[in-house]
Amino acid sequence: MTTSTTEGTETTQERSDGEIVGGAAGAAPVAARATIDGLAPVAPQLEDERLTLPADGPAKHAATSRAARPRSFELGDHPVPTSKIEEWRFTPLRRFTSLFQDDATEDGAVDHAVTVPEGAPEASTLAIGEAPRGTALVPEDLTAAIASARTEQALHLVAPRNAELAEPFRVEITGRGADRRANGHLVLETEESSTATFVLNHTGSAQYAQNVEMIVGDNSRMTVIALQDWDDDALHISTHHAKLGRDAKLKHIVVSLGGSAVRVNAIGEFSAPGAELENTGLYFADENQFLEHRLFVDHAAPNCTSDVAYKGALQGQKARSVWVGDVLIRKEAEGTSTYELNRNLVLTEGARADSVPNLEIETGEIEGAGHAAATGRFDDEQLFYLRARGIPEKEARRLVVRGFFAELIQKIDVPEIREHLFESIEAELTRSMN
């Protein structure tokens, strides 16, 4: 195993009868009793930027296909985000202003420590335009275009053909100040018939614009775990774009716990038949914290499978989460099987969750497709059951939240990360209950 450090560089479906199928679900705060498995639809309440949902706003918003958005490396091809643009209508744009500026990385703003497992080549870099950089990720918004243009050398990590790497690649990304700007681009690759795990851990504080490009070769297995464990004053916008080859499998896991405002846009693109994509996400928003997760699963090849499951909890005044899941099944994607699910647990008054699952289908020759979203408070029956057996109310609430997240955490194959997440959730709960 090899470790290197660079400073300032890199210049299953789960368903329940109470879930809201289609449309949007939100809670802000929830006035009526609701359980996470037995919800009535709750109208979303959006940020005070006078935003509207497609059903209430211009018809063109509702009719716009996710696939129609422009992709270009040229900054001039991407407008500055406004609330009138579908991709940004939920986002508090004023908080992210600095990441819409075409600024270079400040010296020492972000440090990277890279650990390469035994059996893999040393970490290398890719210049702009140097393959395989740009194979999967072509920017769809201004911040991604800036991150690409301002990162002269992208970090490249690769699992070689036929290799099965026992230990994960690890990239420790540490911000050195909330007032310091940084841009980054990572290229993660599994060559044909290889197996590898990549762990990206974000800590400290910075204003960080980032691209993560995932190239999943034919018959390879890739797992990517991205942890946003920033300090309370960090800003982070990241685009993750994966391209899956024939019979490839990608497990993509996003965990967002820290940061003042964090936005992760995950894109999965099927380029050949037989591939499988599993998107898993976990987030916990505190007072005044904004966490946004967007997904786009592009079924552009036949006989592929995708499964999306994201869960979030919120506590404190102005705690805010946004989840938007877009799945497109193109005309040529016959035999597709897909399902996406988002659940949110609102723990205190003043917190709000918005959840919008979208499904576009251009062919009727599919195995199955569905989506669901649910937002609510504690299940009073679960609490009553636990308290009736002598468990104090605070401990009962902890048990309910642990159980809410446990299923997703158990999908993470790196033991120390699982332990860290359980400890972090326990710390969050202790803070809210005291």
Side-chain angles (χ1 to χ4, degrees):
M1 181 178 295
T2 305
T3 301
S4 61
T5 302
T6 57
E7 298 185 357
T9 62
E10 190 185 331
T11 335
T12 345
Q13 304 183 359
E14 181 181 6
R15 312 164 192 251
S16 68
D17 294 336
E19 290 164 353
I20 303 165
V21 179
V30 181
R33 290 189 193 179
T35 69
I36 203 67
D37 287 317
L39 295 176
V42 183
Q45 299 182 24
L46 306 182
E47 281 272 323
D48 53 359
E49 298 194 22
R50 297 183 180 179
L51 310 182
T52 59
L53 287 171
D56 301 320
K60 66 179 181 179
H61 285 175
T64 300
S65 169
R66 179 62 176 78
R69 293 174 190 163
R71 299 176 66 186
S72 172
F73 289 102
E74 299 296 325
L75 271 62
D77 292 337
H78 301 285
V80 176
T82 72
S83 61
K84 295 181 180 179
I85 300 175
E86 169 63 24
E87 187 75 0
W88 299 93
R89 63 188 175 96
F90 288 103
T91 308
L93 299 174
R94 288 183 291 272
R95 295 179 71 168
F96 286 112
T97 299
S98 62
L99 295 180
F100 305 141
Q101 305 296 322
D102 182 17
D103 293 332
T105 297
E106 299 180 34
D107 289 341
V110 172
D111 295 340
H112 295 76
V114 181
T115 302
V116 176
E118 184 177 352
E122 294 295 321
S124 61
T125 58
L126 298 170
I128 295 173
E130 181 180 356
R133 180 175 175 176
T135 299
L137 192 152
V138 179
E140 292 188 357
D141 60 52
L142 180 60
T143 302
I146 292 171
S148 177
R150 288 292 187 172
T151 306
E152 295 183 3
Q153 297 293 329
L155 176 65
H156 184 209
L157 301 175
V158 57
R161 183 174 181 176
N162 297 321
E164 186 170 345
L165 304 178
E167 295 295 321
F169 293 86
R170 298 178 186 271
V171 184
E172 296 289 335
I173 302 167
T174 307
R176 297 305 182 187
D179 59 341
R180 309 183 76 176
R181 172 62 187 275
N183 305 283
H185 192 114
L186 291 78
V187 180
L188 313 179
E189 183 179 7
T190 48
E191 295 183 343
E192 183 178 355
S193 300
S194 65
T195 300
T197 296
F198 302 83
V199 177
L200 314 178
N201 189 29
H202 304 81
T203 57
S205 192
Q207 301 170 18
Y208 192 44
Q210 178 192 50
N211 292 331
V212 179
E213 187 167 1
M214 295 161 282
I215 303 167
V216 192
D218 292 349
N219 197 42
S220 71
R221 306 291 181 265
M222 177 187 289
T223 298
V224 175
I225 305 171
L227 295 94
Q228 284 62 243
D229 210 0
W230 296 103
D231 292 345
D232 291 341
D233 52 359
L235 298 177
H236 184 198
I237 293 180
S238 184
T239 295
H240 293 210
H241 195 135
K243 189 170 186 179
L244 287 76
R246 181 179 296 272
D247 298 322
K249 292 184 179 181
L250 171 62
K251 179 186 286 189
H252 184 259
I253 300 170
V254 174
V255 178
S256 297
L257 300 175
S260 172
V262 173
R263 185 181 195 266
V264 180
N265 182 22
I267 302 168
E269 179 183 350
F270 293 102
S271 63
E276 298 179 16
L277 171 61
E278 180 181 348
N279 284 115
T280 300
L282 181 155
Y283 49 92
F284 202 131
D286 279 323
E287 183 176 0
N288 293 319
Q289 188 178 25
F290 176 83
L291 301 176
E292 179 173 359
H293 299 88
R294 286 182 171 265
L295 296 95
F296 176 41
V297 180
D298 188 356
H299 281 272
N303 303 315
C304 293
T305 300
S306 64
D307 186 20
V308 175
Y310 270 61
K311 289 186 178 182
L314 302 91
Q315 63 183 12
Q317 288 292 324
K318 296 185 179 180
R320 174 75 190 281
S321 73
V322 172
W323 180 88
V324 179
D326 293 320
V327 175
L328 170 63
I329 304 175
R330 297 180 186 266
K331 183 177 180 180
E332 59 269 28
E334 297 180 352
T336 289
S337 177
T338 182
Y339 191 75
E340 59 176 350
L341 170 70
N342 177 231
R343 289 183 173 182
N344 296 288
L345 187 57
V346 180
L347 304 178
T348 66
E349 298 291 337
R352 180 168 77 248
D354 286 295
S355 182
V356 185
N358 299 309
L359 184 61
E360 298 178 66
I361 305 176
E362 297 178 352
T363 176
E365 301 298 324
I366 61 174
E367 291 295 319
H371 57 191
T375 299
R377 296 291 192 111
F378 277 110
D379 186 334
D380 290 338
E381 290 185 3
Q382 288 181 343
L383 289 176
F384 177 80
Y385 177 87
L386 294 170
R387 295 187 67 189
R389 280 148 182 79
I391 299 176
E393 181 177 357
K394 287 187 177 181
E395 181 60 25
R397 288 179 177 272
R398 285 192 177 96
L399 290 173
V400 171
V401 177
R402 288 185 198 131
F404 176 70
F405 284 124
E407 179 185 7
L408 296 189
I409 294 177
Q410 293 300 332
K411 293 184 178 182
I412 299 174
D413 297 328
V414 182
E416 63 268 29
I417 294 179
R418 290 200 303 268
E419 294 171 7
H420 171 69
L421 293 182
F422 278 121
E423 291 172 358
S424 297
I425 290 169
E426 181 66 27
E428 297 280 3
L429 292 172
T430 299
R431 183 187 310 177
S432 67
M433 294 176 184
N434 291 334

